[in-house]
Amino acid sequence: MNGQVIITCAITGAETTREHNPALPMTPEEIASAAADARRAGAAVLHLHVRDEKGAPTQSLDVFKKTIGLIRKKTDIVVEVTTGGAVGMTPEERLQPVTLEPEMASLDCGTVNFGDEYIVNTLPTMREFASAMKKHRVRPTLECFDLSHIYASHVLIKEGLIAPPFHYGLVLNVPGGVRYEPEVLDFFVRKLPQGSFWTAMGIGRASLPVVYNTLAMGGCIRVGFEDNVYYSKGVLAKSNAELVERAARLGREAGLTPASPSDVRKLLQLREA
Ligand code: ZN
């Protein structure tokens, strides 16, 4: 990584509400402004979910299109759209924004508990998603919530559905899923293909410890209201940018420079936006 760290900001998510944090960006305009603020604070990648007029998560092409258009007017941040969507959505619904040909998209690599709900991703679904991303030249972030998901990603790679450079998203501490512990993260990373890029994300109170752990291990970091709405115990973050600022500061303290969007475009060999 040449002394750099890639910071992703997940500013909205599907499950976070204004009750969790009143500063949650929800409309396309708010999301675009928050994305520009996160970029100024040091984020190079935006992990994007959108909401409908009532504030519910949606995979609507129109809303994604409008939001990405507004983001593009304000900032050069790399846009990674979600295809995880929200609990209960169909695979077809979730996959829709990939047709807009964003630079990156998340690709969930298996089925997992999500609190009292669950997210279903069978291998055939994953193949369909990987094929669509290949067709539209979208770089997948292989989101693994469990060890089995990493092995499932190996199947997709072996089948030629995903080409290097690989970028993984390791999601730890989802309620009902794998807990964050340093040895768990270490083991996951050791099971990734050689030379993979990886971004670790700790949900809730695991967010900050995962940032420290990941900086020490040479990975990439993700913060934002999708994962955690607190700045410290009992203190809500004022904005997504405040969380990014701290992540960038910790990176610099560790001797790492936050990568710019153009650095990420080169490192992950993203298509021309
Ligand atoms: Zn997400």
Side-chain angles (χ1 to χ4, degrees):
M1 285 284 299
N2 277 339
Q4 291 183 320
V5 58
I6 299 172
I7 301 174
T8 295
C9 190
I11 63 175
T12 301
E15 315 291 332
T16 310
T17 67
R18 288 258 163 87
E19 276 80 60
H20 297 126
N21 189 320
L24 180 75
M26 292 171 83
T27 66
E29 290 78 9
E30 289 166 355
I31 289 173
S33 292
D37 292 344
R39 166 76 185 99
R40 276 189 289 273
V45 180
L46 170 74
H47 174 74
L48 178 65
H49 287 251
V50 295
R51 303 291 178 94
D52 65 16
E53 280 154 11
K54 291 183 182 141
T58 175
Q59 291 296 95
S60 151
L61 269 184
D62 287 346
V63 184
F64 267 102
K65 202 171 182 175
K66 181 178 179 191
T67 309
I68 292 171
L70 291 171
I71 293 165
R72 282 283 153 261
K73 281 190 191 143
K74 281 180 179 284
T75 173
D76 63 348
I77 199 163
V78 171
V79 175
E80 174 193 87
V81 301
T82 177
T83 68
V87 165
M89 287 178 177
T90 65
E92 293 72 27
E93 218 177 336
R94 287 165 41 199
L95 191 54
Q96 288 186 99
V98 168
T99 61
L100 295 172
E101 309 206 323
E103 290 172 279
M104 297 176 71
S106 61
L107 197 171
D108 292 352
C109 289
T111 298
V112 67
N113 290 328
F114 202 82
D116 289 349
E117 314 279 348
Y118 49 91
I119 302 171
V120 178
N121 293 285
T122 62
L123 268 173
T125 301
M126 291 161 56
R127 285 192 188 100
E128 187 192 338
F129 279 39
S131 302
M133 291 182 200
K134 194 176 178 186
K135 179 178 159 201
H136 292 288
R137 293 175 300 136
V138 175
R139 173 71 58 205
T141 291
L142 301 162
E143 284 201 357
C144 297
F145 296 68
D146 207 347
L147 185 56
S148 60
H149 298 187
I150 295 176
Y151 289 99
S153 77
H154 295 173
V155 175
L156 299 183
I157 290 168
K158 203 171 165 200
E159 291 177 355
L161 292 169
I162 297 164
F166 307 119
H167 178 234
Y168 280 84
L170 306 175
V171 194
L172 303 165
N173 244 43
V174 170
V178 73
R179 306 296 299 174
Y180 161 65
E181 289 167 29
E183 60 266 42
V184 171
L185 179 57
D186 181 61
F187 194 77
F188 275 29
V189 170
R190 282 195 274 125
K191 297 301 164 190
L192 304 180
Q194 277 286 320
S196 296
F197 293 89
W198 57 276
T199 297
M201 47 208 91
I203 306 304
R205 71 188 61 177
S207 181
L208 191 56
V210 167
V211 167
Y212 278 103
N213 199 160
T214 301
L215 286 170
M217 290 174 72
C220 309
I221 54 190
R222 179 173 119 166
V223 293
F225 286 179
E226 174 167 350
D227 301 343
N228 162 51
V229 295
Y230 290 95
Y231 188 82
S232 56
K233 192 171 164 53
V235 181
L236 290 173
K238 292 190 191 76
S239 64
N240 278 283
E242 190 184 30
L243 295 170
V244 175
E245 268 163 30
R246 175 169 60 188
R249 191 169 68 241
L250 295 176
R252 285 192 203 94
E253 292 290 341
L256 302 166
T257 311
S260 70
S262 62
D263 295 328
V264 174
R265 291 183 172 108
K266 280 192 208 103
L267 287 166
L268 298 184
Q269 297 175 27
L270 305 182
R271 56 195 282 284
E272 299 284 314

